[in-house]
Amino acid sequence: MKIAHAPSQIERQPRAVAIGTFDGVHRGHQAVIQAAIETGLAPTVITFEPHPRAALGNRVEMITTLERRLELLADAGIETTLVAAFTPELQRLEPEEFVEHYLLGIGAEAVAAGRDFRFGRRRGGDLSLLASLGPHVLPVTTVDGVSSTRIRAALGEGDVATAARLLGRPYELDGVVVTGDQRGGTLGYPTANIALDPSLIWPGDGVYAGWALDHRAAVSVGTNPHYGGTERRVEPFLLDFDGDLYGKRLVVELWTRLRDQEVFDSEEALVEQIGCDVEATRAAERPV
């Protein structure tokens, strides 16, 4: 997939453009993307970075990093993505200017978006105005019950099963492996300590079964209260894995929540419970 950061970097040709922020690339977003693909025109996405609400000073806990968003768009069949910087200059564009520069300028003949999509200065443009300016508009009805807000709420409660149903795939943790306490290795269960992007949402604390690098993974999320920790961490143990992960990016699917984090009576009790978590991880089923 070609990635551009300005309309001038995209060859003008007949395109169907799906437009939106697409954080999480959930089932609702997928419906918009599919509407563009089904036209037979060159499937193209315009997405915004940072999130428009974040750019306006609001706290937004992102479901995916920009890197992962782009990977998911490519997997969905998009050929070109324009990552539009949501700058004050972009925000000041009148709706007609936005359409001219960002849509007609790259050859957009059809535009797919949610029915409530707004664009241009003070969100002054809607799909009716867009249609009057030339492109064939493909309004996409919201997928019932699916929204980034609902996904964030589910994740905050540790409900990764609901998050997976809304996303259309398992929820993922995405970050770089950094040095941790290296305590897991002394217990017989060496874990990777993942540094998440600070903009990402964290799932509720607990122990999860999941998947990474073609291996099942038992994943601890939280402060590790048994050892009096205060810093929240993401620490997956990859079953039957042997290798060095330090400094590498790791994407971890969370399949199901196994239990709360706990303080145990002894280290032996902790190790016994980890063994139970590993067996539960072996038996876990991938959602959706």
Side-chain angles (χ1 to χ4, degrees):
M1 181 180 74
K2 176 181 173 61
I3 299 170
H5 296 275
S8 60
Q9 297 173 356
I10 298 177
E11 177 186 359
R12 185 183 179 114
Q13 68 177 95
R15 297 180 181 276
V17 177
I19 187 167
T21 302
F22 299 119
D23 177 35
V25 195
H26 58 56
R27 288 173 53 219
H29 300 146
Q30 293 162 28
V32 175
I33 293 164
Q34 191 60 32
I37 291 173
E38 289 176 353
T39 65
L41 300 169
T44 303
V45 157
I46 295 178
T47 187
F48 301 99
E49 181 68 16
H51 192 291
R53 287 196 288 114
L56 296 173
N58 300 296
R59 168 68 176 161
V60 180
E61 294 180 307
M62 302 296 289
I63 300 168
T64 52
T65 62
L66 175 60
E67 180 179 14
R68 186 63 181 139
R69 191 193 322 169
L70 294 172
E71 290 170 349
L72 292 167
L73 291 172
D75 290 345
I78 294 300
E79 295 178 0
T80 302
T81 292
L82 169 57
V83 180
F86 200 76
T87 61
E89 292 74 21
L90 178 70
Q91 297 167 40
R92 285 195 292 267
L93 289 178
E94 295 295 339
E96 295 82 359
E97 294 176 302
F98 179 84
V99 171
E100 178 63 32
H101 292 306
Y102 282 85
L103 294 171
L104 300 181
I106 64 173
E109 295 185 359
V111 177
R115 292 182 181 276
D116 61 351
F117 176 69
R118 299 292 183 271
F119 61 95
R121 185 169 175 264
R122 297 182 178 177
R123 293 168 51 85
D126 59 14
L127 296 188
S128 295
L129 176 61
L130 178 58
S132 73
L133 296 173
H136 174 60
V137 172
L138 304 168
V140 179
T141 301
T142 301
V143 176
D144 188 37
V146 176
S147 70
S148 296
T149 299
R150 280 203 64 193
I151 294 167
R152 293 185 187 104
L155 291 174
E157 297 173 357
D159 186 358
V160 292
T162 293
R165 179 175 57 81
L166 300 175
L167 285 165
R169 66 179 188 282
Y171 165 69
E172 299 165 331
L173 296 163
D174 185 349
V176 175
V177 178
V178 297
T179 302
D181 294 329
Q182 300 180 320
R183 188 182 291 119
T186 67
L187 302 176
Y189 298 98
T191 59
N193 183 32
I194 301 179
L196 298 185
D197 186 294
S199 69
L200 289 178
I201 188 170
W202 284 62
D205 288 0
V207 177
Y208 298 83
W211 181 265
L213 293 180
D214 293 328
H215 289 262
R216 289 176 181 262
V219 187
S220 171
V221 177
T223 59
N224 200 344
H226 180 76
Y227 291 103
T230 58
E231 178 188 2
R232 293 186 80 199
R233 294 183 177 181
V234 173
E235 297 176 298
F237 166 64
L238 276 61
L239 279 61
D240 309 312
F241 176 83
D242 183 21
D244 183 5
L245 295 174
Y246 287 115
K248 297 179 181 178
R249 179 185 175 213
L250 195 61
V251 178
V252 183
E253 294 183 353
L254 296 189
W255 289 1
T256 188
R257 189 175 188 274
L258 300 177
R259 62 174 175 86
D260 293 336
Q261 290 208 325
E262 303 175 45
V263 176
F264 295 88
D265 293 334
S266 66
E267 196 161 272
E268 291 76 14
L270 168 62
V271 171
E272 182 179 355
Q273 181 58 58
I274 295 174
C276 293
D277 297 336
V278 167
E279 292 311 306
T281 296
R282 291 192 190 280
E285 296 185 0
R286 189 179 192 267
V288 299

